[in-house]
């Protein structure tokens, strides 16, 4: 793996730039393998644009003065590949404007920003980054849980605000070991979260589409039963029509006044209006949120709550993970243009 050189650090994660140091071989790269459309630059592309652009001709719709629809119409017959992420959804309308499209490459694990049904209908292949982000997201999930329960961010604000000299007693946090933690979705990320929590002395249970015979964790058939039997919930499942607003007022109240919820999946899995209401009214003890329903908009009520820790959809954002994701994106693109099997196809 090449080393990474930090060239700038900005507050917005999509603007943080870490470019791979160019080797002599990179400077002598062969002609472009093919043309790749980028409607809006995914964070992984923004970070590693120089590397990706050295291999492919990048068609940048976001730099054109034309409206997106007009731009796509202009290149409708030539574009075979599009690179995307959650910030540049591939909708039915986009697909309609690209009749020659053959491949959608996502620089993320999730593909809920892609109209998969329309891609299947047209025979358009889709790739993602596989399970590259699992460990980093799992680290972030556990970090959010610890932060909320031990009041770390709130304590930081307490000290920085100069309140320590005047108020010597700080509210007690809660111990993590021995807590019953329910995981919603025991896929790659959920399993990684479970391993970390088990090592910290937590009692892990889960709900998922199917009971997994390969694990010893207690299974509950639905999220309501899981919440009723947990001290904390960590959301790790994919966003689908079935999981949208799956965590509603009933589930939150089953979790209870001492319960904590962490979401590192997709914001719309939780009914955000009901979550805010439960937090404000004290029906839930706290929350660690990396994702929101209408990103980047966050409910104003959450800013005033010391029992809530907020993150900018960034648990997966590490230098190492973005580097690996860029390598996967390039490998899939190379495979397509060289008529080889795709590295991480989505079935």
């Amino acid at each position: 793996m090449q080393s990474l050189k930090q060239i700038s650090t900005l507050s917005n994660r999509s603007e943080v730039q870490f470019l791979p140091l160019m080797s002599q071989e990179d400077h002598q790269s062969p002609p472009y393998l093919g043309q790749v459309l980028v409607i809006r630059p995914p964070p992984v592309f923004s970070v590693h644009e120089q590397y990706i652009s050295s291999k492919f001709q990048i068609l940048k719709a976001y730099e054109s003065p034309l409206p997106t629809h007009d731009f796509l119409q202009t290149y409708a017959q030539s574009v075979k590949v599009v690179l995307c992420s959650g910030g540049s959804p591939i909708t039915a309308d986009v697909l309609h404007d690209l009749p020659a499209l053959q491949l959608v490459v996502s620089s993320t694990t999730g593909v809920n920003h892609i109209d998969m049904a329309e891609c299947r209908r047209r025979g358009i292949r889709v790739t993602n980054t596989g399970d590259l982000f699992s460990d980093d997201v799992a680290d972030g999930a556990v970090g959010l849980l610890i932060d909320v329960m031990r009041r770390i961010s709130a304590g930081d604000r307490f000290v920085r605000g100069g309140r320590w000299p005047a108020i010597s007693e700080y509210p007690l946090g809660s111990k993590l070991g021995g807590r019953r933690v329910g995981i919603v979705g025991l896929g790659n990320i959920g399993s990684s979260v479970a391993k970390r929590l088990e090592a910290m002395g937590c009692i892990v249970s889960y709900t998922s589409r199917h009971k997994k015979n390969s694990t010893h964790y207690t299974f509950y058939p639905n999220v309501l039963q899981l919440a009723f039997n947990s001290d904390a919930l960590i959301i790790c499942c994919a966003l689908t029509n079935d999981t949208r607003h799956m965590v509603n007022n009933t589930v939150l109240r089953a979790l209870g006044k001492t319960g904590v919820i962490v979401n590192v999946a997709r914001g719309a899995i939780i009914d955000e209006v009901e979550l805010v209401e439960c937090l404000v009214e004290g029906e839930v003890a706290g929350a660690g949120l990396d994702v929101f329903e209408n990103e980047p908009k966050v409910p104003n009520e959450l800013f005033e709550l010391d029992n809530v820790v907020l993150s900018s959809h960034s648990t997966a954002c590490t230098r190492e993970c973005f580097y690996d994701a860029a390598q996967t994106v390039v490998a899939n693109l190379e495979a397509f243009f060289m008529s080889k099997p795709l590295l991480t196809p989505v079935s």
Side-chain angles (χ1 to χ4, degrees), residues 1 48 129 132 319-329:
M1 181 180 293
H48 291 289
T129 55
L132 283 179
R319 305 181 195 181
E320 296 83 358
C321 200
F322 269 33
Y323 176 86
D324 290 341
Q327 299 297 311
T328 301
V329 164

Side-chain angles (χ1 to χ4, degrees), residues 115-170:
D115 190 328
M116 295 296 291
E118 183 63 14
C119 285
R120 282 192 294 270
R121 189 187 71 80
R122 286 182 43 185
I124 299 170
R125 290 181 289 173
V126 177
T127 68
N128 65 357
T129 55
D131 63 353
L132 283 179
F133 294 99
S134 297
D135 283 336
D136 294 282
V137 175
D139 288 345
V142 174
L144 286 170
L145 180 62
I146 294 173
D147 196 337
V148 175
M149 296 187 68
R150 295 303 303 271
R151 301 178 60 87
I152 295 172
S153 291
D156 179 79
R157 291 189 295 272
F158 178 79
V159 174
R160 291 177 186 272
R163 287 178 284 168
W164 192 6
I167 308 172
S168 58
E169 293 186 5
Y170 182 72

